[in-house]
Amino acid sequence: MRKLTRSSNNRMLAGVCGGLAEYFGIDATVVRLLWTIFSICTVWPGFVAYFLAWIIVPPDPGF
């Protein structure tokens, strides 16, 4: 069973996008690009969602 965690080796800010990319098995650049587009188009909900994910998603055990 896979578990969503913040990435410790594929991170830029908090590892949220890297963790999502590892969970879904895709490139982290694609997740970061989609998250950036979402954040720009919706203004605050994208940033708030990232901040909440930073708090809620646990760090990688190797962190």
Side-chain angles (χ1 to χ4, degrees):
M1 186 170 151
R2 296 183 306 181
K3 186 175 179 184
L4 178 61
T5 59
R6 290 183 287 145
S7 179
S8 61
N9 58 357
N10 194 3
R11 59 185 287 161
M12 298 212 58
L13 183 62
V16 174
C17 291
L20 284 170
E22 291 172 2
Y23 183 79
F24 290 112
I26 58 177
D27 187 26
T29 305
V30 174
V31 176
R32 288 183 186 113
L33 182 62
L34 291 173
W35 199 290
T36 302
I37 291 169
F38 174 72
S39 295
I40 290 171
C41 291
T42 61
V43 185
W44 286 110
F47 296 114
V48 172
Y50 190 88
F51 183 71
L52 289 175
W54 187 351
I55 293 170
I56 295 170
V57 177
D60 191 19
F63 193 52

Coordinates of all heavy atoms in Angstrom, one line a residue:
M1 N 0.8 -1.2 0.0 CA 0.0 0.0 0.0 C 0.9 1.2 0.0 O 1.8 1.4 0.8 CB -0.9 0.0 1.2 CG -1.9 1.1 1.3 SD -3.1 0.8 2.6 CE -3.5 2.5 3.0
R2 N 0.6 2.1 -0.9 CA 1.4 3.4 -1.0 C 0.9 4.4 0.0 O -0.3 4.4 0.3 CB 1.3 4.0 -2.4 CG 1.9 3.1 -3.5 CD 1.9 3.8 -4.8 NE 0.5 4.2 -5.1 CZ 0.1 4.7 -6.3 NH1 1.0 5.0 -7.2 NH2 -1.1 5.1 -6.5
K3 N 1.8 5.2 0.5 CA 1.4 6.3 1.4 C 1.9 7.6 0.9 O 3.1 7.7 0.5 CB 2.0 5.9 2.8 CG 1.5 6.9 3.8 CD 2.1 6.5 5.2 CE 1.6 7.5 6.2 NZ 2.2 7.2 7.5
L4 N 1.1 8.6 0.9 CA 1.5 9.9 0.5 C 2.3 10.6 1.6 O 1.9 10.7 2.7 CB 0.2 10.8 0.2 CG 0.5 12.2 -0.2 CD1 1.3 12.3 -1.5 CD2 -0.8 12.9 -0.4
T5 N 3.5 11.0 1.2 CA 4.4 11.7 2.1 C 5.1 12.8 1.4 O 5.1 12.8 0.2 CB 5.5 10.7 2.7 OG1 6.3 10.2 1.6 CG2 4.9 9.6 3.5
R6 N 5.6 13.8 2.1 CA 6.4 14.8 1.5 C 7.8 14.3 1.2 O 8.4 13.6 2.0 CB 6.5 16.0 2.4 CG 5.2 16.8 2.6 CD 5.4 18.0 3.5 NE 5.6 17.5 4.9 CZ 6.4 18.2 5.7 NH1 7.0 19.2 5.4 NH2 6.5 17.7 6.9
S7 N 8.2 14.5 0.0 CA 9.5 14.0 -0.5 C 10.7 14.6 0.2 O 10.7 15.9 0.4 CB 9.6 14.2 -2.0 OG 10.9 13.7 -2.5
S8 N 11.7 13.8 0.6 CA 12.9 14.4 1.2 C 14.0 14.6 0.2 O 14.9 15.4 0.5 CB 13.3 13.5 2.4 OG 13.6 12.2 1.9
N9 N 13.9 13.9 -0.9 CA 15.0 14.0 -1.9 C 14.6 14.7 -3.2 O 15.4 15.0 -4.0 CB 15.6 12.6 -2.2 CG 14.5 11.7 -2.8 OD1 13.3 12.0 -2.8 ND2 14.9 10.5 -3.1
N10 N 13.3 14.9 -3.3 CA 12.8 15.6 -4.5 C 12.0 16.8 -4.1 O 10.8 16.9 -4.4 CB 12.0 14.6 -5.4 CG 11.7 15.2 -6.8 OD1 12.2 16.2 -7.2 ND2 11.0 14.4 -7.5
R11 N 12.6 17.8 -3.5 CA 11.9 18.9 -2.9 C 12.5 20.2 -3.4 O 13.7 20.3 -3.6 CB 11.9 18.8 -1.4 CG 13.3 18.8 -0.8 CD 13.2 18.6 0.7 NE 12.8 19.8 1.4 CZ 12.3 19.9 2.6 NH1 12.3 18.8 3.3 NH2 11.9 21.0 3.1
M12 N 11.6 21.2 -3.4 CA 12.1 22.6 -3.7 C 11.8 23.5 -2.5 O 12.6 24.2 -2.1 CB 11.5 23.1 -5.0 CG 11.8 22.2 -6.2 SD 12.0 23.0 -7.7 CE 13.2 24.2 -7.6
L13 N 10.6 23.4 -2.0 CA 10.2 24.2 -0.9 C 9.9 23.3 0.3 O 10.6 23.2 1.3 CB 8.9 25.0 -1.2 CG 8.4 26.0 -0.2 CD1 9.5 27.0 0.2 CD2 7.2 26.7 -0.6
A14 N 8.8 22.5 0.3 CA 8.4 21.7 1.4 C 8.4 20.2 1.0 O 8.2 19.3 1.8 CB 7.1 22.1 2.0
G15 N 8.5 19.9 -0.3 CA 8.4 18.5 -0.7 C 7.0 18.0 -1.1 O 6.8 16.8 -1.3
V16 N 6.1 18.9 -1.1 CA 4.7 18.5 -1.4 C 4.5 18.0 -2.8 O 4.0 16.9 -3.1 CB 3.7 19.7 -1.1 CG1 2.3 19.3 -1.5 CG2 3.7 20.0 0.4
C17 N 5.0 18.8 -3.8 CA 4.9 18.4 -5.2 C 5.7 17.2 -5.5 O 5.3 16.3 -6.2 CB 5.3 19.6 -6.1 SG 4.1 21.0 -6.0
G18 N 6.9 17.1 -4.9 CA 7.7 15.9 -5.1 C 7.1 14.7 -4.5 O 7.1 13.6 -5.1
G19 N 6.4 14.8 -3.4 CA 5.7 13.7 -2.8 C 4.5 13.2 -3.6 O 4.3 12.0 -3.8
L20 N 3.8 14.2 -4.2 CA 2.7 13.9 -5.0 C 3.2 13.2 -6.3 O 2.5 12.2 -6.8 CB 1.9 15.1 -5.4 CG 1.0 15.7 -4.4 CD1 0.4 17.1 -4.8 CD2 -0.2 14.8 -4.1
A21 N 4.3 13.6 -6.8 CA 4.8 13.0 -8.0 C 5.3 11.6 -7.8 O 5.0 10.7 -8.6 CB 6.0 13.8 -8.5
E22 N 5.9 11.4 -6.6 CA 6.3 10.0 -6.3 C 5.1 9.1 -6.1 O 5.1 7.9 -6.4 CB 7.2 10.0 -5.0 CG 8.5 10.6 -5.2 CD 9.3 10.8 -4.0 OE1 8.9 10.5 -2.9 OE2 10.5 11.4 -4.1
Y23 N 4.1 9.6 -5.4 CA 2.9 8.9 -5.2 C 2.2 8.4 -6.5 O 1.7 7.3 -6.6 CB 1.9 9.7 -4.3 CG 0.6 8.9 -3.9 CD1 0.7 8.0 -2.9 CD2 -0.6 9.2 -4.6 CE1 -0.5 7.4 -2.5 CE2 -1.7 8.5 -4.2 CZ -1.7 7.6 -3.2 OH -2.8 6.9 -2.8
F24 N 2.1 9.3 -7.4 CA 1.4 9.0 -8.7 C 2.4 8.5 -9.8 O 1.9 8.1 -10.8 CB 0.7 10.2 -9.2 CG -0.5 10.6 -8.4 CD1 -0.5 11.8 -7.7 CD2 -1.6 9.8 -8.4 CE1 -1.6 12.2 -6.9 CE2 -2.7 10.1 -7.6 CZ -2.8 11.3 -6.9
G25 N 3.6 8.4 -9.5 CA 4.6 7.9 -10.4 C 4.9 8.7 -11.7 O 5.0 8.2 -12.7
I26 N 4.8 10.1 -11.5 CA 5.1 11.0 -12.6 C 6.2 11.9 -12.2 O 6.7 11.9 -11.1 CB 3.8 11.8 -13.0 CG1 3.3 12.6 -11.8 CG2 2.7 10.9 -13.5 CD1 2.1 13.4 -12.1
D27 N 6.6 12.7 -13.2 CA 7.8 13.6 -13.0 C 7.3 14.8 -12.1 O 6.2 15.3 -12.3 CB 8.2 14.1 -14.4 CG 9.5 14.9 -14.3 OD1 10.3 14.7 -13.3 OD2 9.7 15.8 -15.2
A28 N 8.2 15.1 -11.2 CA 7.8 16.2 -10.3 C 7.7 17.6 -11.0 O 6.9 18.4 -10.5 CB 8.9 16.3 -9.2
T29 N 8.4 17.7 -12.1 CA 8.3 19.0 -12.8 C 6.9 19.2 -13.4 O 6.3 20.3 -13.4 CB 9.3 19.0 -14.0 OG1 10.6 18.7 -13.5 CG2 9.3 20.3 -14.8
V30 N 6.2 18.1 -13.8 CA 4.9 18.2 -14.3 C 3.9 18.6 -13.1 O 3.1 19.5 -13.3 CB 4.4 16.8 -14.9 CG1 2.9 16.9 -15.3 CG2 5.3 16.5 -16.1
V31 N 4.1 18.0 -12.0 CA 3.3 18.4 -10.8 C 3.5 19.8 -10.4 O 2.5 20.6 -10.2 CB 3.5 17.5 -9.6 CG1 2.7 17.9 -8.4 CG2 3.2 16.0 -10.0
R32 N 4.7 20.3 -10.4 CA 5.0 21.7 -10.1 C 4.4 22.6 -11.1 O 3.9 23.7 -10.7 CB 6.5 21.9 -10.0 CG 7.1 21.2 -8.8 CD 8.6 21.5 -8.7 NE 9.2 20.7 -7.6 CZ 10.0 19.7 -7.7 NH1 10.5 19.4 -8.9 NH2 10.5 19.1 -6.7
L33 N 4.5 22.3 -12.4 CA 4.0 23.1 -13.4 C 2.5 23.2 -13.3 O 1.9 24.3 -13.3 CB 4.4 22.6 -14.8 CG 3.9 23.4 -16.0 CD1 4.5 24.8 -16.0 CD2 4.3 22.7 -17.3
L34 N 1.8 22.1 -13.1 CA 0.3 22.1 -12.9 C -0.1 22.9 -11.7 O -1.0 23.7 -11.7 CB -0.2 20.7 -12.9 CG -0.1 19.9 -14.2 CD1 -0.5 18.5 -13.9 CD2 -1.0 20.6 -15.2
W35 N 0.7 22.7 -10.6 CA 0.4 23.4 -9.3 C 0.5 24.9 -9.5 O -0.3 25.7 -9.0 CB 1.2 22.9 -8.2 CG 0.7 23.3 -6.8 CD1 0.6 24.5 -6.3 CD2 0.1 22.4 -5.9 NE1 0.0 24.4 -5.1 CE2 -0.3 23.1 -4.8 CE3 -0.1 21.0 -5.9 CZ2 -0.9 22.6 -3.7 CZ3 -0.7 20.5 -4.8 CH2 -1.1 21.2 -3.7
T36 N 1.6 25.3 -10.2 CA 1.8 26.7 -10.5 C 0.7 27.4 -11.3 O 0.2 28.4 -11.0 CB 3.2 26.9 -11.2 OG1 4.2 26.4 -10.4 CG2 3.4 28.4 -11.5
I37 N 0.3 26.6 -12.4 CA -0.8 27.1 -13.2 C -2.1 27.2 -12.4 O -2.8 28.2 -12.5 CB -1.0 26.2 -14.4 CG1 0.2 26.3 -15.4 CG2 -2.3 26.5 -15.1 CD1 0.2 25.3 -16.5
F38 N -2.4 26.2 -11.5 CA -3.5 26.3 -10.7 C -3.5 27.5 -9.7 O -4.5 28.2 -9.5 CB -3.7 25.0 -9.9 CG -4.8 25.0 -8.9 CD1 -6.1 24.9 -9.3 CD2 -4.5 25.0 -7.5 CE1 -7.1 24.9 -8.3 CE2 -5.5 25.0 -6.6 CZ -6.8 24.9 -7.0
S39 N -2.3 27.7 -9.2 CA -2.1 28.8 -8.2 C -2.3 30.2 -8.9 O -2.8 31.1 -8.3 CB -0.8 28.7 -7.5 OG -0.7 27.5 -6.8
I40 N -1.8 30.3 -10.1 CA -1.9 31.6 -10.8 C -3.4 31.8 -11.2 O -3.9 32.9 -11.0 CB -1.0 31.6 -12.0 CG1 0.5 31.7 -11.5 CG2 -1.3 32.8 -12.9 CD1 1.5 31.5 -12.6
C41 N -4.0 30.8 -11.7 CA -5.4 31.0 -12.1 C -6.4 31.2 -11.0 O -7.4 31.9 -11.2 CB -5.9 29.7 -12.9 SG -5.0 29.6 -14.5
T42 N -6.2 30.6 -9.9 CA -7.1 30.7 -8.8 C -6.6 31.7 -7.7 O -7.3 31.9 -6.7 CB -7.4 29.4 -8.1 OG1 -6.2 28.9 -7.6 CG2 -8.0 28.4 -9.1
V43 N -5.5 32.2 -7.8 CA -4.8 33.1 -6.9 C -4.6 32.5 -5.5 O -3.7 31.7 -5.3 CB -5.5 34.5 -6.8 CG1 -4.7 35.5 -6.0 CG2 -5.7 35.1 -8.2
W44 N -5.5 32.8 -4.6 CA -5.2 32.3 -3.2 C -5.5 30.8 -2.9 O -4.8 30.2 -2.1 CB -6.0 33.2 -2.2 CG -5.3 34.5 -2.1 CD1 -5.8 35.7 -2.5 CD2 -4.1 34.8 -1.5 NE1 -4.9 36.7 -2.3 CE2 -3.8 36.2 -1.7 CE3 -3.1 34.0 -1.0 CZ2 -2.7 36.8 -1.2 CZ3 -1.9 34.7 -0.5 CH2 -1.7 36.0 -0.7
P45 N -6.5 30.2 -3.5 CA -6.7 28.8 -3.2 C -5.5 27.9 -3.5 O -5.3 26.9 -2.7 CB -7.9 28.4 -4.0 CG -8.7 29.7 -4.2 CD -7.6 30.7 -4.3
G46 N -4.8 28.1 -4.5 CA -3.6 27.3 -4.8 C -2.5 27.4 -3.7 O -2.0 26.4 -3.3
F47 N -2.3 28.6 -3.2 CA -1.3 28.8 -2.2 C -1.8 28.3 -0.8 O -1.0 27.7 -0.1 CB -1.0 30.3 -2.0 CG -0.3 30.9 -3.3 CD1 -1.0 31.9 -4.0 CD2 0.9 30.5 -3.7 CE1 -0.4 32.4 -5.1 CE2 1.5 31.0 -4.8 CZ 0.8 32.0 -5.6
V48 N -3.1 28.5 -0.6 CA -3.6 27.9 0.7 C -3.6 26.4 0.7 O -3.3 25.8 1.7 CB -5.1 28.5 0.9 CG1 -5.7 27.8 2.1 CG2 -5.0 30.0 1.1
A49 N -3.9 25.8 -0.5 CA -3.9 24.3 -0.6 C -2.5 23.8 -0.4 O -2.3 22.8 0.3 CB -4.4 23.9 -2.0
Y50 N -1.5 24.5 -0.9 CA -0.1 24.1 -0.7 C 0.3 24.2 0.7 O 0.9 23.2 1.3 CB 0.9 24.9 -1.6 CG 2.3 24.3 -1.6 CD1 2.6 23.4 -2.5 CD2 3.2 24.7 -0.6 CE1 3.9 22.9 -2.5 CE2 4.5 24.2 -0.6 CZ 4.8 23.3 -1.6 OH 6.1 22.7 -1.6
F51 N -0.1 25.3 1.4 CA 0.3 25.4 2.8 C -0.4 24.4 3.7 O 0.2 23.8 4.6 CB -0.2 26.8 3.2 CG 0.2 27.1 4.7 CD1 1.5 27.3 5.0 CD2 -0.8 27.2 5.6 CE1 1.9 27.6 6.4 CE2 -0.5 27.5 6.9 CZ 0.9 27.7 7.3
L52 N -1.7 24.1 3.4 CA -2.4 23.0 4.1 C -1.8 21.7 3.9 O -1.6 20.9 4.8 CB -3.9 23.0 3.8 CG -4.7 24.2 4.3 CD1 -6.1 24.1 3.7 CD2 -4.7 24.3 5.8
A53 N -1.4 21.4 2.6 CA -0.7 20.1 2.4 C 0.6 20.0 3.1 O 1.0 18.9 3.6 CB -0.5 19.9 0.8
W54 N 1.3 21.1 3.2 CA 2.6 21.2 3.9 C 2.4 20.8 5.4 O 3.2 20.1 6.0 CB 3.1 22.6 3.8 CG 4.5 22.8 4.3 CD1 5.3 21.9 5.0 CD2 5.3 24.0 4.2 NE1 6.5 22.5 5.3 CE2 6.5 23.8 4.8 CE3 5.1 25.2 3.5 CZ2 7.5 24.7 4.8 CZ3 6.1 26.1 3.6 CH2 7.3 25.9 4.2
I55 N 1.3 21.2 5.9 CA 1.0 20.9 7.3 C 0.4 19.5 7.5 O 0.8 18.8 8.4 CB 0.0 21.9 7.9 CG1 0.6 23.3 8.0 CG2 -0.5 21.5 9.3 CD1 -0.4 24.4 8.3
I56 N -0.5 19.0 6.6 CA -1.2 17.8 6.8 C -0.4 16.6 6.3 O -0.4 15.5 7.0 CB -2.5 17.8 6.0 CG1 -3.4 18.9 6.7 CG2 -3.2 16.5 6.0 CD1 -4.7 19.2 5.9
V57 N 0.3 16.6 5.2 CA 1.0 15.5 4.7 C 2.3 15.3 5.5 O 3.1 16.2 5.7 CB 1.4 15.7 3.2 CG1 2.2 14.6 2.6 CG2 0.1 15.9 2.4
P58 N 2.4 14.0 6.0 CA 3.6 13.8 6.9 C 4.9 13.7 6.0 O 4.9 13.4 4.8 CB 3.3 12.4 7.5 CG 2.4 11.8 6.5 CD 1.6 12.9 5.9
P59 N 6.0 14.0 6.6 CA 7.3 14.0 5.9 C 7.7 12.5 5.7 O 7.2 11.6 6.3 CB 8.3 14.7 6.9 CG 7.7 14.6 8.2 CD 6.2 14.5 8.0
D60 N 8.6 12.4 4.7 CA 9.1 11.1 4.3 C 9.9 10.5 5.6 O 10.5 11.3 6.3 CB 10.1 11.2 3.1 CG 10.5 9.9 2.5 OD1 9.8 8.9 2.8 OD2 11.5 10.0 1.8
P61 N 9.7 9.2 5.9 CA 10.4 8.7 7.1 C 11.9 8.9 7.0 O 12.6 9.0 8.1 CB 10.1 7.2 7.0 CG 8.9 7.1 6.2 CD 8.9 8.2 5.2
G62 N 12.5 9.1 5.9 CA 14.0 9.3 5.7 C 14.3 10.8 5.9 O 15.4 11.2 5.7
F63 N 13.4 11.6 6.3 CA 13.5 13.0 6.4 C 14.4 13.4 7.6 O 14.4 13.3 8.6 CB 12.1 13.7 6.5 CG 12.1 15.1 6.3 CD1 12.8 15.7 5.2 CD2 11.5 16.0 7.1 CE1 12.7 17.1 5.0 CE2 11.5 17.3 7.0 CZ 12.1 17.9 5.9

